[in-house]
Amino acid sequence: MSSDNVATEVLVLAEHTDGTLSKTTAELITAARILGEPAVVLLVSGSSGEASGGSSDATVDALCAQLGELGVAHVVLARSPEFGLYLVTPVVQALAQLVRERKPAAVLLTASADGKEVAGRLAVLTGSGLLTDVTELHGDGTATQEIFAGSAIVASRIITGTPIYAIRRNAITSQLAVPVQPEVHTVEVLLSASARASRILDSVVEPKGNRPELTEASVVVAGGRGVGRAEDFQLLEQLADQLGGAVGASRAATDGGLYPHQFQVGQTGKSVSPQLYIACGISGAIQHRAGMQTAKNIVVINSDSTSPIFDIADFGIVGDLHEVLPQTITALRERAGS
Amino acid sequence: MGKPLDLVVLVKQVPDSGADRVLRESNFTVDREASDSVVNEMDEYAIEEALRLKGEHGGTVALLTMGPEQAVTSIRKALQMGADAAVHVTDAALAGSCAVKTSEVLAAALGTLQWDLVLCGAESTDGQLCVIPAMLAQRLDVAALTGARQLTIADADSTGERVGTIQRQTETGYQTIQASLPAVVSVWDTINEPHYPTFRDIMAAKSKPVSTLRLADLGIDAAEVGFFGATSVVTSVVPRPPRGAGVVIDAGADAGAKLVEFLASRKLV
Ligand SMILES: Cc1cc2nc3c(=O)[nH]c(=O)nc-3n(C[C@H](O)[C@H](O)[C@H](O)COP(=O)(O)OP(=O)(O)OC[C@H]3O[C@@H](n4cnc5c(N)ncnc54)[C@H](O)[C@@H]3O)c2cc1C
């Protein structure tokens, strides 16, 4: 089947946990359609022989059904018992093998830390160019990226090899498609010895409660040094829960122990692009703005009217967050009650 | 103390991230003269970590920089933190190199040096690519320990093999990753707190050896790198369109209600 759609097939690396595709995967599929026909790569641990029956097959079926809902006609099931045992490299080998076999027009993956490492290695292995943190993709292969903490927008085109694009999350709005029954093609991935260099001994998920993932959330309520005390982050958590959002923090807040490091937003933290970003007690340093200024709506609560964060506010309140947040929580509760 | 460690730290000169940065109109590269250049902040954490390891295991710390002639100022500055020597890869033909080609040049330069561990920052404030460490590991065919917030190197075992272990910072927590040396390690700013150089260190840095490597020394063809060898081309650069001016109000008893009104007007509640 790979020979039918040689020139316009676009490989998309799916992300999934516990049998559910990430929201970003749908965004990648939409982006892939700009360039051609998406063929989605699902990485599954276990070889087809040993994983027959049981939950593993059910998981694969569930994922394929979700891809069908997204209108994906071609699914490539890449199996290896060793995915998850070694850092990044097994994924790279799987994609390199597929690029060789299927000669796609491009490869799309998520611009997460892992995704960018995979993209970089794949570029080296396949002799290709890559663009990371892509925010927009055009039919001629031109991709846009933001540089200098988001202050400029660069358009570029890859001119070497099989173009590899790592797409920024939340940048492309996923579009509905006509559901189909996907055709599933299975490949076994064989790892070379050097793909086994970095062993994953354990993976620890630090508790984040049941709020949405920061990078995927459509609302982010973020706090900075101005929150003052760790326990006052509860005000932000309360507001985030009312809005169905996630909680973020500035580096001053995470360095100061007010909130866990994994929630840091900015150049050295996470990049978020939500519908709504509420910045509380954050001054708006360029390194912080780098991670949030593509938010569609920005609300600022800060006691100092000269803080640079007000420059990018759609709605700003000059005042003490310890007063404004409880007022807001009450006003939202009243609105919900009425 | 076990066998000493030879450490190389990649150091990049970048325009100051706190200042306005400028791209040249003619070829869309960073105008490094128009903005103040500094050592990439994240690289200071890599230098600090290398110095810590040297203190623990003995050995040497060398800095490796690819950049224009004037990057030597940043190299001297970085040497003040306490590294022993530096290597500067510089060649007019390198201007405009993409990440793929940069990793090729750096890998070739590393091929001329002795090392057990290459350390670097997990990202740079100008290009933000984060891909160089992984690309280097791929090219050098050594292990990658990327995104470390903690690093330990065990003494060599009876076979002489040494193992590095990191806590790798992930989006949801961390992973423990282990690999035999040689390896490439990239570090986040959570790994340590870089120290300020002492007056003695600052004076000592002036006379530390800085050697220069040209493309010819690395056996790389000038046409393969720089603008002409780049794997991607920039077609336009535009400043981000400014956000429409927002509304700013002073807090009062009804500030919360006004905020909710704003959210409702944008259909956010
Ligand atoms: C290499 C490097 C990387 C970095 N990466 C990041 C990053 O990823 N993310 C990041 O956030 N920073 C990052 N920084 C740090 C950044 O430069 C700033 O220091 C940091 O963002 C400041 O955090 P802040 O706004 O919370 O604190 P401050 O700048 O101290 O601002 C606190 C704000 O709170 C306000 N405030 C005080 N009390 C109240 C109150 N009661 N009510 C309302 N407002 C109040 C003040 O008016 C002030 O504006 C980085 C720096 C470097 C050098």
Side-chain angles (χ1 to χ4, degrees):
Chain A
M1 63 171 252
S2 57
S3 53
D4 304 344
N5 42 32
V6 185
T8 57
E9 178 171 288
V10 177
L11 283 184
V12 170
L13 179 63
E15 291 178 324
H16 55 92
T17 35
D18 306 327
T20 308
L21 288 176
S22 73
K23 178 175 160 228
T24 316
T25 303
E27 295 167 6
L28 293 179
I29 292 165
T30 297
R33 290 210 172 91
I34 298 170
L35 300 176
E37 175 71 18
V40 175
V41 182
L42 274 179
L43 303 179
V44 186
S45 323
S47 59
S48 44
E50 80 188 45
S52 54
S55 64
S56 173
D57 273 1
T59 305
V60 171
D61 290 346
L63 289 168
C64 289
Q66 289 165 52
L67 288 168
E69 285 294 312
L70 294 169
V72 173
H74 300 284
V75 175
V76 183
L77 209 57
R79 289 187 177 272
S80 163
E82 295 178 293
F83 289 135
L85 299 184
Y86 306 100
L87 190 60
V88 175
T89 39
V91 184
V92 177
Q93 289 223 325
L95 288 177
Q97 183 177 327
L98 292 171
V99 167
R100 257 193 322 272
E101 288 172 10
R102 303 178 70 93
K103 305 196 169 38
V107 180
L108 265 58
L109 27 73
T110 309
S112 60
D114 283 18
K116 287 195 261 192
E117 283 190 33
V118 171
R121 284 173 175 271
L122 189 64
V124 168
L125 261 179
T126 61
S128 304
L130 86 159
L131 294 171
T132 61
D133 296 295
V134 168
T135 52
E136 229 178 273
L137 202 54
H138 300 277
D140 65 352
T142 304
T144 64
Q145 297 166 295
E146 293 172 3
I147 56 163
F148 299 159
S151 61
I153 297 168
V154 181
S156 337
R157 208 155 29 82
I158 295 168
I159 52 172
T160 311
T162 305
I164 300 164
Y165 303 95
I167 311 277
R168 182 174 282 187
R169 284 177 282 210
N170 267 336
I172 290 170
T173 312
S174 60
Q175 240 110 62
L176 292 177
V178 182
V180 293
Q181 180 71 39
E183 196 180 321
V184 182
H185 177 73
T186 304
V187 294
E188 302 290 333
V189 181
L190 299 171
L191 294 197
S192 67
S194 54
R196 298 195 182 92
S198 300
R199 303 176 290 279
I200 300 177
L201 302 189
D202 65 359
S203 297
V204 178
V205 175
E206 290 169 342
K208 68 165 170 70
N210 37 26
R211 296 195 185 91
E213 196 57 58
L214 189 51
T215 50
E216 290 188 353
S218 54
V219 176
V220 174
V221 181
R225 201 197 306 271
V227 176
R229 301 182 307 168
E231 50 269 39
D232 290 345
F233 256 91
Q234 281 169 14
L235 287 171
L236 284 83
E237 292 180 338
Q238 231 177 317
L239 180 60
D241 290 343
Q242 281 180 309
L243 296 168
V247 175
S250 74
R251 179 155 123 183
T254 56
D255 278 0
L258 301 186
Y259 215 62
H261 181 83
Q262 55 164 309
F263 298 102
Q264 182 179 312
V265 171
Q267 183 184 296
T268 49
K270 289 174 183 166
S271 288
V272 300
S273 203
Q275 289 297 320
L276 171 63
Y277 190 88
I278 305 183
C280 311
I282 293 176
S283 62
I286 190 158
Q287 295 94 347
H288 186 79
R289 295 208 307 261
M292 48 67 72
Q293 66 184 350
T294 54
K296 308 288 179 304
N297 294 282
I298 296 174
V299 168
V300 169
I301 304 170
N302 193 305
S303 50
D304 176 2
S305 66
T306 65
S307 288
I309 189 84
F310 280 112
D311 296 346
I312 56 169
D314 296 293
F315 187 81
I317 298 175
V318 181
D320 187 343
L321 65 94
H322 300 93
E323 288 164 18
V324 178
L325 284 177
Q327 286 174 10
T328 310
I329 290 164
T330 310
L332 272 174
R333 199 175 290 138
E334 282 168 3
R335 190 187 148 86
S338 67
Chain B
M1 204 182 270
K3 210 173 115 205
L5 277 173
D6 288 324
L7 303 136
V8 175
V9 186
L10 302 184
V11 175
K12 186 171 184 192
Q13 181 192 245
V14 295
D16 189 346
S17 69
D20 278 340
R21 287 163 284 183
V22 183
L23 278 193
R24 284 193 194 87
E25 290 276 335
S26 53
N27 56 17
F28 305 128
T29 55
V30 178
D31 192 340
R32 288 173 207 271
E33 275 135 62
S35 7
D36 278 343
S37 288
V38 296
V39 173
N40 178 35
E41 285 115 336
M42 201 68 78
D43 298 346
E44 291 177 7
Y45 297 82
I47 298 174
E48 184 73 25
E49 199 59 14
L51 294 170
R52 186 187 68 75
L53 289 172
K54 179 185 164 182
E56 197 176 307
H57 299 268
T60 57
V61 177
L63 308 181
L64 172 61
T65 295
M66 168 178 145
E69 296 280 351
Q70 63 272 28
V72 76
T73 328
S74 303
I75 295 175
R76 287 279 171 211
K77 192 100 203 297
L79 279 169
Q80 293 176 355
M81 285 183 71
D84 303 300
V87 177
H88 185 188
V89 183
T90 186
D91 201 301
L94 284 171
S97 291
C98 65
V100 177
K101 294 304 168 80
T102 299
S103 71
E104 183 183 333
V105 175
L106 287 172
L110 286 166
T112 70
L113 304 172
Q114 282 286 333
W115 48 270
D116 301 296
L117 218 54
V118 172
L119 290 105
C120 52
E123 60 130 50
S124 70
T125 53
D126 63 342
Q128 293 218 339
L129 263 167
C130 328
V131 293
I132 296 286
M135 284 178 160
L136 283 177
Q138 186 71 42
R139 289 189 186 278
L140 297 161
D141 197 16
V142 299
L145 295 168
T146 45
R149 68 178 193 187
Q150 192 185 309
L151 166 66
T152 47
I153 307 293
D155 278 336
D157 65 12
S158 55
T159 66
E161 188 168 275
R162 257 184 310 200
V163 169
T165 308
I166 63 162
Q167 254 186 31
R168 169 185 165 87
Q169 197 167 297
T170 64
E171 288 177 2
T172 52
Y174 68 91
Q175 292 178 309
T176 310
I177 314 282
Q178 195 166 74
S180 298
L181 271 41
V184 175
V185 180
S186 70
V187 306
W188 283 114
D189 50 1
T190 36
I191 197 162
N192 57 40
E193 204 43 66
H195 71 281
Y196 287 101
T198 63
F199 181 69
R200 243 184 67 198
D201 289 335
I202 292 172
M203 296 314 286
K206 293 188 200 296
S207 55
K208 285 178 178 168
V210 177
S211 54
T212 303
L213 286 174
R214 308 267 170 202
L215 282 175
D217 302 320
L218 300 174
I220 293 175
D221 181 357
E224 284 290 299
V225 295
F227 290 112
F228 301 109
T231 58
S232 56
V233 288
V234 174
T235 53
S236 76
V237 179
V238 290
R240 156 178 294 285
R243 298 185 79 94
V247 180
V248 177
I249 62 165
D250 281 320
D254 60 348
K258 288 214 171 106
L259 172 46
V260 174
E261 253 170 54
F262 167 78
L263 297 181
S265 73
R266 297 282 174 109
K267 306 213 173 352
L268 294 164
V269 288

